[in-house]
Amino acid sequence: MTTTTLERPPRLLRLPDFRLLWIGDTVSQAGTAVTVLALPLVAIGPLDASPFEAGLLVTCEYLGFLLLGLPAGAWVDRMRRRRVMIAGDLGRAALLATLPLAAWLDVLTLPHLYAVAFGLSVCTAFFDIAYQSHLPQLVDQDRLVDANVALEASRTVTAAGGPGAGGALVAAVTAPVALAVDAVSFLVSALLLSRIRRPDPRPARAPGARLRGEIAEGLRFVFRDRLLRALTLTSALSNLCGTIGASMLLVLLAGDLGLSPFLCGLVFTAEALGGFLGSLLTTRIAARLGEGRAMCASVLVSGVLWLLALPFFQADGRYAVACALQGLGWTAFMTFKISSVSLRQRLTPAPLLGRVTATFRFVVWGCMPLGALAGGLIGQYAGVRAALWTGAVGELAAVVPLLAVVRGRRREA
């Protein structure tokens, strides 16, 4: 594994097409940061969801990746990727717009919320696969890490203010109405994507190619490569265990501790600020430690910090300590998150990017609905804090697959 000499992200922003992608993604991520808080608060507050019902909502938010992740990648590799992204944005805008309307008509229900969450996950599955597959068409190979750093940095900046602003917005206009903000952000993103001028040709399709064979090709490429397989398994374990706890976090804060929407949003703001700092430090850490060791340290240190944060989630001054530790955990984790995406893009041939991304998302994001379901069950029958501890302890094991490959490569060298 090698490190890359990086250019400063502002140079990338001089490229008109990448700039449109970056602005559109930033706008939609700002709206999504509001939804991260507002959607579960609709369930916990007006709809009085139990811990299991709240966990089921998070399950629906990721279910699309589990059910459609693999075929979505093969389909995206047959389509014009930018069109897929625009359709995904428009679909998400339409789905979110139904929630404030239903609330206004006093017909909003948990099944409606579940249906919207599932629909969002389907649209996001297609959008994200097309998005990561289209990025290498907009920037050169030697700028991919720069591009991912720039995109991740802007996401964390918008996420930093989003939940806090979302908490204030929810308090002022109610959670269903706050979701309309995200709907508008997706419309803006679709408009900006439509203005990209770089050609978006339909990918060439091999004669006689079948969907099942194309899906199998993506699976084989990921799981036959030791490094890609390790990255996938580490990410999957981290997401599985992380979602066990994350699905119950707002149940603890808004339900058990009775914190206000604004205070609930502060933990997400801390995570985003930590993630932003981590995105700025990623290239330096990778250069200092080497890419493989840096990713292993990233997963391990972040797991320890998140574990340390749990006792401090209380309805008093200790909550500030919990938020700080949670944020520092994301500072540590960003090295793995950014480096693993860039490494996967570098190792994968362009015709396979959609299927490889889909395979990764199917395994990694497909674990999240299972984790959320497990979190809901643990929270319902063993307690919300038990779910949080289970997830945090489990995340420490996520480093094992990657560590084994990195150590093996060092011995071979």
Side-chain angles (χ1 to χ4, degrees), residues 1-378:
M1 285 179 285
T2 59
T3 56
T4 304
T5 301
L6 303 181
E7 299 182 43
R8 293 181 179 178
R11 293 186 182 180
L12 283 168
L13 300 184
R14 295 174 188 169
L15 303 175
D17 289 337
F18 177 77
R19 186 168 63 244
L20 287 168
L21 176 69
W22 177 76
I23 296 173
D25 184 65
T26 300
V27 171
S28 67
Q29 289 296 327
T32 300
V34 175
T35 298
V36 163
L37 184 69
L39 197 64
L41 286 181
V42 172
I44 297 167
L47 300 180
D48 196 27
S50 68
F52 175 74
E53 289 169 334
L56 191 58
L57 175 63
V58 180
T59 300
C60 292
E61 289 183 80
Y62 297 108
L63 194 57
F65 290 96
L66 182 62
L67 298 182
L68 295 174
L70 288 177
W75 288 325
V76 166
D77 276 343
R78 300 178 176 188
M79 302 177 190
R80 290 180 171 87
R81 288 157 179 168
R82 191 157 63 247
R83 291 187 181 181
V84 175
M85 294 160 65
I86 292 170
D89 274 339
L90 294 176
R92 289 184 288 189
L95 286 164
L96 284 168
T98 66
L99 295 176
L101 179 61
W104 181 62
L105 296 173
D106 198 25
V107 294
L108 185 60
T109 62
L110 274 174
H112 182 184
L113 208 62
Y114 294 154
V116 168
F118 174 69
L120 291 173
S121 74
V122 171
C123 293
T124 301
F126 279 92
F127 180 94
D128 283 3
I129 292 166
Y131 168 83
Q132 291 197 8
S133 302
H134 190 53
L135 182 61
Q137 294 180 248
L138 300 182
V139 299
D140 298 330
Q141 282 278 332
D142 58 354
R143 291 183 171 183
L144 267 179
V145 176
D146 276 334
N148 282 308
V149 167
L151 289 164
E152 199 61 49
S154 67
R155 288 182 181 191
T156 52
V157 167
T158 54
L169 191 62
V170 168
V173 299
T174 73
V177 177
L179 292 169
V181 173
D182 197 10
V184 173
S185 75
F186 285 125
L187 291 176
V188 173
S189 175
L191 175 63
L192 291 168
L193 289 173
S194 70
R195 297 181 61 191
I196 293 176
R197 296 293 174 235
R198 183 73 62 94
D200 183 29
R202 184 185 296 274
R205 187 179 172 190
R210 296 179 178 273
L211 182 65
R212 183 179 298 177
E214 291 178 344
I215 292 172
E217 189 178 6
L219 284 165
R220 284 194 300 269
F221 186 85
V222 170
F223 286 100
R224 284 180 177 175
D225 185 285
R226 284 195 304 164
L227 182 53
L228 286 177
R229 182 172 66 244
L231 288 174
T232 302
L233 293 176
T234 289
S235 299
L237 284 170
S238 178
N239 277 11
L240 173 68
C241 298
T243 312
I244 289 174
S247 63
M248 292 293 101
L249 182 57
L250 277 174
V251 177
L252 173 69
L253 301 182
D256 292 2
L257 300 181
L259 299 181
S260 69
F262 177 74
L263 288 176
C264 289
L266 288 183
V267 67
F268 298 102
T269 299
E271 289 177 354
L273 288 171
F276 175 65
L277 177 60
S279 69
L280 298 180
L281 296 174
T282 291
T283 55
R284 294 182 183 180
I285 294 171
R288 177 68 65 86
L289 300 179
E291 201 168 38
R293 291 175 64 189
M295 287 192 292
C296 289
S298 170
V299 176
L300 187 60
V301 173
S302 62
V304 170
L305 287 166
W306 289 329
L307 191 64
L308 292 175
L310 290 185
F312 294 96
F313 280 109
Q314 306 292 341
D316 52 33
R318 288 173 289 180
Y319 181 60
V321 178
C323 290
L325 289 169
Q326 196 81 359
L328 288 172
W330 276 98
T331 300
F333 191 70
M334 291 307 292
T335 296
F336 173 76
K337 185 175 182 182
I338 293 174
S339 298
S340 63
V341 171
S342 301
L343 187 58
R344 190 171 72 248
Q345 289 170 332
R346 292 202 309 269
L347 292 174
T348 305
L352 277 173
L353 265 173
R355 278 163 285 171
V356 168
T357 301
T359 298
F360 180 83
R361 286 299 176 96
F362 169 73
V363 177
V364 173
W365 288 62
C367 287
M368 296 174 79
L370 303 178
L373 186 61
L377 289 169
I378 296 170

